[in-house]
């Protein structure tokens, strides 16, 4: 072997050695400096969900992080919204904000366990995986009807609702229509929906009318210029007439939670008297949610425009409180009527107030559990508002029959210590 060959081989070995050291150094640097860490407590890498009850996972992260969900099973639908059954919140955070809440968006009635994995990851760096199982449970009986009554006052809205269903692709019952009232005076409400528009259909006996609605992201967006007339039950004489419109706003999260309802009403006849000028009333309902997709609070603002220089506004805020002992009362009802149960005085004829939209699933937002109580704060300035006795507190009491909710009472306490009670009883379809 000549000198040049030896020198050349030595140079190659030196290059390989240097290259190997550089690669080793680079790899070590990426692990220690660039990748960072996400540490989940032992025993929390594999979790099993119960119904729609949430599970909170705490962890350590060295820097900003984000969470992503991957579903293990396949679906016949290409629609990611239909495939999605898990909620993870928040979807991102900082090194000082290190927890996520994982919950199923609905009970699993498919007959097979659902599985998914949630990855908590640093941008371009390390990550950790949580394996999630949602066991299948027996499908409850469908809610056939609810009956409402009130002691100590007059109930607002329908006293009897009955429901009709179809079965969804995942085995969950979907309300296709509901009826308010009984006999020949009962009105049946149903909806047909498309990507950008739909229609609410109302049938009483042989009489049918409809309301065109606008749709956005598979949710109701608005309806406008619906004329509502209310007649005396005995004489049939029209006593009240108004034109009503609604608009709905949702947040930008995966769940597209309902954030605000705006209701505009132009009253042309009140108690049989034609109004000149017409009276304008604007109502807004602002929803706030906690990390468990539950309604945390509701703010109801009513503005009366009497065609004066300054409109008059009333604000009533409802703060909900949930059990803090870990025993969350899951909502297993097969019709989304929770708003009507929680806020009975805000309800009226379906689609004239806020009663019917969630029942037919038009808003998409589901309330996953029931509160134990609520506190009310009323700031009233209008003549209309001052004529109403507003409650200060609500107490919610639930009676169960096995896994089914058999009755619910809402006890309202007023500033003068007077009380009223709304009782709702539930009946279910036979197997």
């Amino acid at each position: 072997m000549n000198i040049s060959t030896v020198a050349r081989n030595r140079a190659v070995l030196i290059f390989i050695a240097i290259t190997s050291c550089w690669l080793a150094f680079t790899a070590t640097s990426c692990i220690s400096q660039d990748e960072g860490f996400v540490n989940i407590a032992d025993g929390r890498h594999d979790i099993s969900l119960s119904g729609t009850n949430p599970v909170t996972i705490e962890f350590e992260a060295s820097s900003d992080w984000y969470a992503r969900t991957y579903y293990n099973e396949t679906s016949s639908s290409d629609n990611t919204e239909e495939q999605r059954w898990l909620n993870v919140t928040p979807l991102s955070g900082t090194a000082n904000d290190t927890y996520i809440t994982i919950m199923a968006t609905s009970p699993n009635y498919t007959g097979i366990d659902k599985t998914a994995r949630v990855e908590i990851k640093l941008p371009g760096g390390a990550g950790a995986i949580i394996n999630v199982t949602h066991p299948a449970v027996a499908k409850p009986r469908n809610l056939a009807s609810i009956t409402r009554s009130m002691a100590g006052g007059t109930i607002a809205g329908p006293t009897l609702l009955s429901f009709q269903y179809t079965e969804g692709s995942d085995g969950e019952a979907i309300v296709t229509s509901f009826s308010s009232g009984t006999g020949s005076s009962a009105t049946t409400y149903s909806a047909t929906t498309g990507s950008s528009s739909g229609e609410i259909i109302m049938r009483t006996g042989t009489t049918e009318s409809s309301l065109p609605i606008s749709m956005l992201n598979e949710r109701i967006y608005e309806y406008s210029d619906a004329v509502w007339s209310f007649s005396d039950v005995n004489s049939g004489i029209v006593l009240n007439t108004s034109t009503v419109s609604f608009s709905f706003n949702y947040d930008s999260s995966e769940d597209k939670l309902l954030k605000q309802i705006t209701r505009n009403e132009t009253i042309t006849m009140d108690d049989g008297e034609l109004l000149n000028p017409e009276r304008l009333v604007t109502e807004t309902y602002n929803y706030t949610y906690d990390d468990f997709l539950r309604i945390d609070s509701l703010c109801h603002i009513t503005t009366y425009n009497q065609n004066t220089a300054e409109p008059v506004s009333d604000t009533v805020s409802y703060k909900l409180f949930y059990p803090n002992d870990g025993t969350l009362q899951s909502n297993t009802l097969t019709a989304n009527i929770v708003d009507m149960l929680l806020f009975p005085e805000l309800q009226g004829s379906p689609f004239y107030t806020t009663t019917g939209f969630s029942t037919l699933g038009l808003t998409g937002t589901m309330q996953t559990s029931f509160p134990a109580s609520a506190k009310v704060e009323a700031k009233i300035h209008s003549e209309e508002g001052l004529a109403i006795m507003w409650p200060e507190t609500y107490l919610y009491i639930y009676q169960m029959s096995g896994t089914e909710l058999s009755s619910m009472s809402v006890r309202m306490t007023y500033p003068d210590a007077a009380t009223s009670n709304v009782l709702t009883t539930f009946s279910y379809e036979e197997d």
Side-chain angles (χ1 to χ4, degrees):
M1 180 179 296
N2 57 36
I3 295 176
S4 62
T5 301
V6 172
R8 184 169 58 251
N9 290 341
R10 182 178 298 174
V12 170
L13 290 174
I14 293 173
F15 172 77
I16 293 173
I18 293 174
T19 303
S20 300
C21 291
W22 181 83
L23 289 173
F25 173 77
T26 302
T28 304
S29 299
C30 289
I31 293 173
S32 61
Q33 296 181 13
D34 297 335
E35 287 196 356
F37 63 86
V38 176
N39 294 330
I40 298 174
D42 291 341
R44 305 296 276 175
H45 288 274
D46 298 277
I47 63 171
S48 179
L49 302 179
S50 174
T52 56
N53 289 340
V55 174
T56 298
I57 306 292
E58 296 182 352
F59 59 92
E60 295 179 338
S62 58
S63 64
D64 292 353
W65 55 270
Y66 64 92
R68 293 292 182 268
T69 302
Y70 302 92
Y71 296 100
N72 298 336
E73 65 276 348
T74 59
S75 170
S76 59
S77 171
D78 293 330
N79 189 333
T80 56
E81 284 296 310
E82 293 181 11
Q83 295 176 5
R84 178 177 171 267
W85 54 266
L86 200 62
N87 175 269
V88 178
T89 183
L91 290 174
S92 61
T94 66
N96 298 320
D97 184 20
T98 50
Y99 77 94
I100 58 172
T101 297
I102 300 174
M103 62 178 291
T105 57
S106 63
N108 180 8
Y109 303 139
T110 63
I112 58 174
D113 293 354
K114 294 181 178 181
T115 57
R117 67 186 191 277
V118 176
E119 184 175 6
I120 305 171
K121 190 171 176 57
L122 308 182
I129 292 175
I130 302 169
N131 297 302
V132 182
T133 301
H134 193 209
V137 295
K139 180 182 176 182
R141 294 186 299 174
N142 293 340
L143 183 64
S145 64
I146 67 168
T147 303
R148 303 197 305 156
S149 59
M150 186 172 186
T154 302
I155 196 167
T159 58
L160 176 66
L161 288 179
S162 56
F163 305 94
Q164 297 78 43
Y165 298 88
T166 187
E167 186 171 304
S169 58
D170 61 354
E172 187 175 0
I174 299 172
V175 176
T176 56
S177 64
F178 66 91
S179 300
S180 175
T182 60
S184 59
S185 62
T187 301
T188 298
Y189 301 87
S190 59
T192 59
T193 59
S195 59
S196 61
S197 64
E199 186 178 43
I200 297 170
I201 302 168
M202 300 163 287
R203 297 185 183 92
T204 305
T206 59
T207 302
E208 181 177 301
S209 57
S210 63
L211 297 172
I213 58 177
S214 298
M215 305 291 296
L216 183 67
N217 294 325
E218 301 180 351
R219 287 153 171 73
I220 186 170
Y221 177 68
E222 67 177 3
Y223 86 63
S224 59
D225 300 331
V227 179
W228 293 86
S229 296
F230 299 92
S231 304
D232 180 79
V233 294
N234 298 315
S235 65
I237 298 174
V238 175
L239 298 179
N240 299 83
T241 302
S242 60
T243 302
V244 177
S245 64
F246 277 87
S247 63
F248 301 80
N249 289 288
Y250 305 87
D251 69 13
S252 57
S253 70
E254 286 185 303
D255 301 287
K256 301 184 181 70
L257 294 173
L258 177 64
K259 296 293 289 183
Q260 185 182 79
I261 302 174
T262 302
R263 179 185 186 274
N264 292 299
E265 180 177 15
T266 302
I267 304 172
T268 55
M269 178 181 289
D270 186 14
D271 200 20
E273 178 185 352
L274 286 172
L275 301 181
N276 186 18
E278 300 166 336
R279 185 183 306 152
L280 306 179
V281 179
T282 299
E283 296 179 86
T284 56
Y285 302 84
N286 298 309
Y287 292 85
T288 302
Y289 300 86
D290 62 16
D291 289 338
F292 306 145
L293 299 186
R294 305 174 306 193
I295 299 173
D296 178 76
S297 59
L298 171 67
C299 182
H300 178 207
I301 304 171
T302 305
T303 302
Y304 300 89
N305 188 339
Q306 310 286 11
N307 291 302
T308 58
E310 294 292 334
V312 180
S313 293
D314 297 330
T315 300
V316 184
S317 299
Y318 304 80
K319 169 65 176 176
L320 297 177
F321 298 92
Y322 295 85
N324 56 12
D325 58 359
T327 57
L328 295 173
Q329 174 61 64
S330 291
N331 173 15
T332 59
L333 299 179
T334 50
N336 187 24
I337 57 171
V338 177
D339 280 12
M340 186 170 66
L341 301 179
L342 300 184
F343 312 113
E345 83 277 13
L346 298 183
Q347 310 306 320
S349 297
F351 304 107
Y352 177 73
T353 57
T354 62
T355 304
F357 301 105
S358 61
T359 303
L360 288 176
L362 294 173
T363 67
T365 301
M366 296 291 291
Q367 170 78 357
T368 58
S369 57
F370 291 124
S373 62
K375 184 177 180 180
V376 184
E377 181 181 0
K379 299 178 180 179
I380 307 300
H381 305 283
S382 71
E383 293 182 5
E384 293 86 349
L386 292 171
I388 299 173
M389 180 68 76
W390 296 94
E392 285 188 330
T393 59
Y394 290 69
L395 179 65
Y396 302 107
I397 300 174
Y398 311 96
Q399 297 293 330
M400 304 294 294
S401 177
T403 59
E404 294 175 343
L405 184 65
S406 59
S407 67
M408 170 185 174
S409 65
V410 184
R411 184 178 180 85
M412 293 176 279
T413 303
Y414 299 87
D416 61 356
T419 61
S420 62
N421 192 77
V422 176
L423 176 65
T424 303
T425 58
F426 306 87
S427 67
Y428 295 84
E429 295 179 344
E430 296 299 326
D431 294 331

